[in-house]
């Protein structure tokens, strides 16, 4: 019973490929369009997703390599009450003025995100780039891997969506051609039917 149902379902899905006196040339074209779209979506989407994930992972790895921590001194206290939404991040860090020494030994000052609840003069760690300028902490290896997966999946779905839309546009054009052809054929046959039924 199940085998018969599977065979029937396969025949129904593959009707455009089977020889049939009612099959038109456009039916074969449509079958090839459907096959091409699904193949491009599967293979191309996988390739685009993998390339996007790899590029994102490499970019974030280079950020981790370029950025490093340096010791700095707080120039202002972060213990005062800060109103909600006034520069306090969700992880309890606040922006504060700090001083540090660049790799060439020159003193530098700037604003960096530090833990709240510290007094002026406290030693903190801040992130700097290769030029010695303050920057954000780079994503961890785990965070970068997650971000690469999300970007790769997004790129694959976007590619698949564009491919699917292109396939639908081609099939819409074929349908328009069918409707026009049916209209022309009905214009020829319709009057004969009306004569027979009246």
């Amino acid at each position: 019973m199940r085998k018969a149902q599977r065979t029937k379902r396969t025949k129904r899905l593959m009707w455009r490929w089977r020889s049939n006196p009612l099959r038109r040339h456009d039916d074969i074209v449509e079958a090839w369009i459907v096959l091409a779209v699904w193949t491009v979506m599967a293979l191309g989407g996988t390739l685009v997703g993998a390339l996007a994930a790899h590029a994102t992972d490499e970019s974030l790895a280079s950020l981790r390599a370029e950025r490093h921590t340096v010791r700095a001194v707080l120039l202002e206290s972060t213990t005062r009450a800060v109103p909600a939404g006034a520069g306090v991040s969700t992880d309890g860090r606040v922006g504060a003025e700090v001083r540090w020494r660049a790799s060439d030994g020159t003193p530098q000052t700037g604003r960096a995100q530090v833990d709240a609840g510290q007094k002026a003069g406290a030693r903190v760690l801040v992130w700097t780039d290769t030029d010695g300028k303050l920057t954000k902490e780079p994503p961890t290896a785990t965070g970068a891997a997650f971000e690469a997966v999300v970007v790769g999946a997004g790129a694959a779905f976007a590619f698949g969506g564009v491919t699917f839309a292109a396939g639908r546009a081609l099939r819409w054009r074929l349908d328009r051609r069918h409707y026009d052809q049916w209209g022309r054929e009905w214009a020829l046959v319709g009057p004969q039917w009306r004569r027979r039924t009246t």
Side-chain angles (χ1 to χ4, degrees), residues 70-90:
V70 294
R71 291 207 172 274
V73 177
L74 266 178
L75 299 179
E76 60 183 322
S77 176
T78 60
T79 56
R80 66 181 186 278
V82 180
V88 179
S89 65
T90 55

Side-chain angles (χ1 to χ4, degrees), residues 93-122:
R93 294 172 65 85
V94 295
E97 194 77 19
V98 293
R99 182 179 61 238
W100 74 99
R101 290 204 177 275
S103 56
D104 63 0
T106 58
Q108 306 283 326
T109 59
R111 291 192 74 73
Q113 290 289 313
V114 297
D115 292 329
Q118 299 186 63
K119 294 184 179 181

Side-chain angles (χ1 to χ4, degrees), residues 151-164:
V151 168
F157 281 118
F159 180 84
V162 168
T163 305
F164 184 77

Side-chain angles (χ1 to χ4, degrees), residues 34-57:
V34 169
L35 180 65
V37 164
W38 284 106
T39 302
V40 169
M41 281 175 60
L43 300 177
T46 302
L47 180 64
V48 166
L51 289 174
H54 180 69
T56 302
D57 192 43

Side-chain angles (χ1 to χ4, degrees), residues 37 50 77 95 120 142 144 156 172 175:
V37 164
S77 176
T142 304
W172 178 82
D175 286 344

Side-chain angles (χ1 to χ4, degrees), residues 110-158:
R111 291 192 74 73
Q113 290 289 313
V114 297
D115 292 329
Q118 299 186 63
K119 294 184 179 181
R123 297 222 174 253
V124 293
L125 288 177
V126 294
W127 286 90
T128 60
D129 60 16
T130 52
D131 296 330
K133 296 179 182 172
L134 288 175
T135 187
K136 291 181 182 178
E137 179 179 358
T140 63
T142 304
F146 177 75
E147 193 171 335
V149 167
V150 169
V151 168
F157 281 118

